[in-house]
Amino acid sequence: MSFGTIAILGPGLIGGSLALALAERGLAGKLVIWARKEDSFPAIREKLPQATLTTDIIEAVRTADIVVLCVPIETMKGLVEKFADALKPTALVTDVGSVKESVDREIAPLLAGKALWVGSHPMAGSEQAGFAAARANLFRGAFVILTPTNQTQKQAEQRAEEFWSLPEIGGRIVKIPPQNHDIKVAQISHLPHLLAAVLVNHVQHADSEALQLVGGGFRDTTRIASGSPELWAEILSANARAVAHALNPFIEELKTLKNNLENSTDKVVLKQRLLEKLKEAQEVRSKILKDT
Amino acid sequence: MSFGTIAILGPGLIGGSLALALAERGLAGKLVIWARKEDSFPAIREKLPQATLTTDIIEAVRTADIVVLCVPIETMKGLVEKFADALKPTALVTDVGSVKESVDREIAPLLAGKALWVGSHPMAGSEQAGFAAARANLFRGAFVILTPTNQTQKQAEQRAEEFWSLPEIGGRIVKIPPQNHDIKVAQISHLPHLLAAVLVNHVQHADSEALQLVGGGFRDTTRIASGSPELWAEILSANARAVAHALNPFIEELKTLKNNLENSTDKVVLKQRLLEKLKEAQEVRSKILKDT
């Protein structure tokens, strides 16, 4: 099976890693990389000498069989509006955005009758950003969530599935409707990110000197807080409702714990209560490590 | 400089690592390891053939020049009561507990006039426990917080400092009074631990299926939640007041953020507000990585 010409729009961490995965393996019949500006082209050319690099969005997509939107989610709509009419009717358009309901709501109508469309979210990343951090094996073994709706053509879904599960890319496909996707990633990705950032800022404000003493635990716990602020501000604001919904019971649980810690006159009872929670967490986490 | 006979009471992760560091380098004139039961002795004997292993606490400390308490903090008092009268008057007793105010309050009076005493907290660990997880380089480059009070003999402080900064151990000494220590570690160690555990349990309760999709971010953020529940229940309950005190403004900050996420009708304003917080966290974290 061949995917013909593949156009990657936006050669950042995710787009760049996708390009490296495809090109290193000689898969792409033709690999086209579009960027808004030429700044990144010398670095890309060095690693991907056979890719076609362009800042002309129409040229980028005109002959493409697959177009992968790897740009910030809030710029996707404007970009698709520019190129929708230039697409081959058989082309598949997909994206890599971390939020899917708003993306699908904006993009699906623009492509209706013009090309195939389904949203994708490869669950892979790094706290580093940009093409310099890209690597060919970024998606190997990672979950790629496809977010078909009842409007999605079966062919779009099938081709996206084939694309991400190519051995050169190595994704593991899961299909979840856009809104459910957003609720799930709010819990497992967006809430943890917010907590890591809030924890770093909290300690900085409470006792910045103590930060000089942190060990490996604090560093690991807050690693994701080094992620791109621009990318994450966009993700969290795009998925604001679901993140707030996830935060609510989390805050309640912290309040209960704080009251236990403050008011427990019986240390044995307090310790037993904490022990139950810590044991549950340890067990759940063992299961995660086994399953993922 | 020689430290003569060193007695390590409790060959778990910390005590075991200390024994390995000392023995591998041939430092300990005589290394005595005490454990409550003999179960662990075959494994210890294999790695430390020259150490004296005993379950007799009096025999363990009788000739020791340094005694390091590496047992759970709530068993320290009972143990010291048993052996205090058997110590050489010149012996230094120290510990490795993660909470210091309660330990110092309990142990200092028991040793007054009988031996030298100062509390220690090596800021090193692992989510794994027991002698099997011990390694000789655990303390290399780690901060070791000594917690002298105005009751502490200068000689105790000096010898503890020399001990932990031996090249074979490799600790970096910091001195902080017990209560300040507890407040600082509540922020940089105990609060992060609690958050990791609460986050794991929260997602398990909110959407256990979503846990099958977690990526490296979630795994790193919650790694410490795999730590020994018994050890951490003990630490958190022993330092309950300081942890509650640290939790309070953290919860308030989360509530503010939740309100922002829920009520912001202007996505641009919301994104800008999030961006400021995320940028601050990224900057603080870069500084941590540079400094520690």
Side-chain angles (χ1 to χ4, degrees), chain A residues 14 51 55 76 100 106 121 174 206 230 233 266 282 287:
Chain A
I14 301 290
T55 57
M76 284 183 188
K100 299 262 66 91
E106 288 184 345
H121 176 200
V174 180
E230 290 74 18
D266 188 338
Q282 190 191 42
K287 203 173 163 316

Side-chain angles (χ1 to χ4, degrees), chain B residues 140-217:
Chain B
R140 193 152 304 280
F143 286 107
V144 176
I145 307 180
L146 299 187
T147 55
T149 67
N150 51 20
Q151 307 294 313
T152 306
Q153 307 99 316
K154 268 288 152 219
Q155 212 192 335
E157 207 174 315
Q158 280 165 7
R159 287 185 59 205
E161 185 163 359
E162 283 165 9
F163 177 71
W164 289 109
S165 34
L166 283 170
E168 294 76 9
I169 299 177
R172 295 152 74 189
I173 301 295
V174 181
K175 295 180 189 179
I176 305 174
Q179 209 177 348
N180 284 12
H181 164 277
D182 289 0
I183 292 170
K184 281 184 193 293
V185 296
Q187 299 282 5
I188 60 173
S189 170
H190 305 174
L191 174 61
H193 197 98
L194 199 63
L195 290 176
V198 173
L199 178 61
V200 170
N201 293 346
H202 164 77
V203 179
Q204 166 74 6
H205 298 160
D207 185 351
S208 61
E209 279 182 15
L211 283 174
Q212 293 169 12
L213 300 173
V214 299

Side-chain angles (χ1 to χ4, degrees), chain A residues 11-291:
Chain A
L13 170 69
I14 301 290
S17 295
L18 202 49
L20 290 172
L22 293 165
E24 271 194 355
R25 312 277 175 148
L27 179 97
K30 199 180 165 199
L31 181 62
V32 182
I33 297 174
W34 172 88
R36 199 165 51 85
K37 290 193 278 184
E38 289 191 2
D39 307 7
S40 56
F41 286 175
I44 299 173
R45 204 166 275 132
E46 201 171 301
K47 291 216 177 164
L48 296 164
Q50 298 178 347
T52 303
L53 310 187
T54 179
T55 57
D56 181 334
I57 190 66
I58 304 298
E59 190 198 325
V61 307
R62 211 170 27 85
T63 60
D65 298 294
I66 296 201
V67 175
V68 188
L69 291 159
C70 305
V71 295
I73 46 182
E74 59 195 22
T75 66
M76 284 183 188
K77 187 184 172 191
L79 194 63
V80 173
E81 281 172 339
K82 280 190 193 148
F83 72 67
D85 289 326
L87 289 164
K88 298 203 291 194
T90 54
L92 168 69
V93 180
T94 191
D95 75 317
V96 300
S98 298
V99 176
K100 299 262 66 91
E101 198 270 331
S102 57
V103 168
D104 191 78
R105 185 163 26 85
E106 288 184 345
I107 306 302
L110 297 176
L111 295 172
K114 295 179 181 166
L116 301 169
W117 156 257
V118 67
S120 307
H121 176 200
M123 302 276 285
S126 161
E127 72 275 23
Q128 297 176 312
F131 185 78
R135 53 190 173 85
N137 66 353
L138 186 68
F139 309 104
R140 192 153 306 279
F143 285 107
V144 177
I145 306 179
L146 300 187
T147 56
T149 67
N150 52 19
Q151 308 293 313
T152 306
Q153 308 99 314
K154 268 289 153 218
Q155 213 193 334
E157 207 174 314
Q158 280 164 8
R159 286 184 60 206
E161 185 163 358
E162 283 165 9
F163 177 71
W164 288 109
S165 33
L166 283 171
E168 292 77 8
I169 299 177
R172 296 152 75 189
I173 302 294
V174 180
K175 296 179 188 180
I176 305 174
Q179 210 177 347
N180 284 11
H181 165 277
D182 289 0
I183 291 170
K184 281 184 193 293
V185 295
Q187 300 281 6
I188 60 172
S189 170
H190 305 175
L191 174 61
H193 196 97
L194 200 62
L195 291 176
V198 173
L199 177 61
V200 170
N201 293 346
H202 163 78
V203 180
Q204 165 73 9
H205 298 161
D207 186 351
S208 61
E209 279 182 15
L211 284 174
Q212 293 169 10
L213 300 174
V214 299
F218 190 90
R219 275 194 294 268
D220 282 3
T221 305
T222 62
R223 178 179 65 78
I224 52 179
S226 289
S228 160
E230 290 74 18
L231 173 67
W232 280 94
E234 186 185 52
I235 291 171
L236 293 170
S237 56
N239 204 21
R241 214 169 33 177
V243 177
H245 186 78
L247 257 178
N248 215 21
F250 185 85
I251 292 172
E252 291 308 313
E253 175 64 18
L254 286 185
K255 277 158 76 177
T256 304
L257 263 171
K258 183 188 69 104
N259 290 337
N260 290 342
L261 290 165
E262 262 171 358
N263 302 326
S264 185
T265 47
D266 188 338
K267 286 274 178 191
V268 177
V269 171
L270 173 62
K271 194 185 157 189
Q272 187 55 37
R273 192 170 286 171
L274 289 165
L275 189 59
E276 281 162 22
K277 291 188 189 299
L278 294 168
K279 272 190 176 162
E280 184 188 0
Q282 190 191 42
E283 279 161 23
V284 172
R285 204 167 174 283
S286 305
K287 203 173 163 316
I288 295 172
L289 292 181
K290 216 174 59 195
D291 290 353

Side-chain angles (χ1 to χ4, degrees), chain B residues 11 33 35 40-49 51 53 131:
Chain B
I33 297 175
S40 56
F41 286 175
I44 299 173
R45 204 165 275 132
E46 202 172 300
K47 293 216 177 161
L48 295 164
L53 310 187
F131 185 77

Side-chain angles (χ1 to χ4, degrees), chain B residues 258-273:
Chain B
K258 184 189 69 106
N259 290 337
N260 290 341
L261 290 164
E262 261 170 1
N263 303 326
S264 184
T265 47
D266 187 338
K267 286 275 178 190
V268 177
V269 172
L270 173 63
K271 194 184 156 188
Q272 188 54 38
R273 192 169 288 172

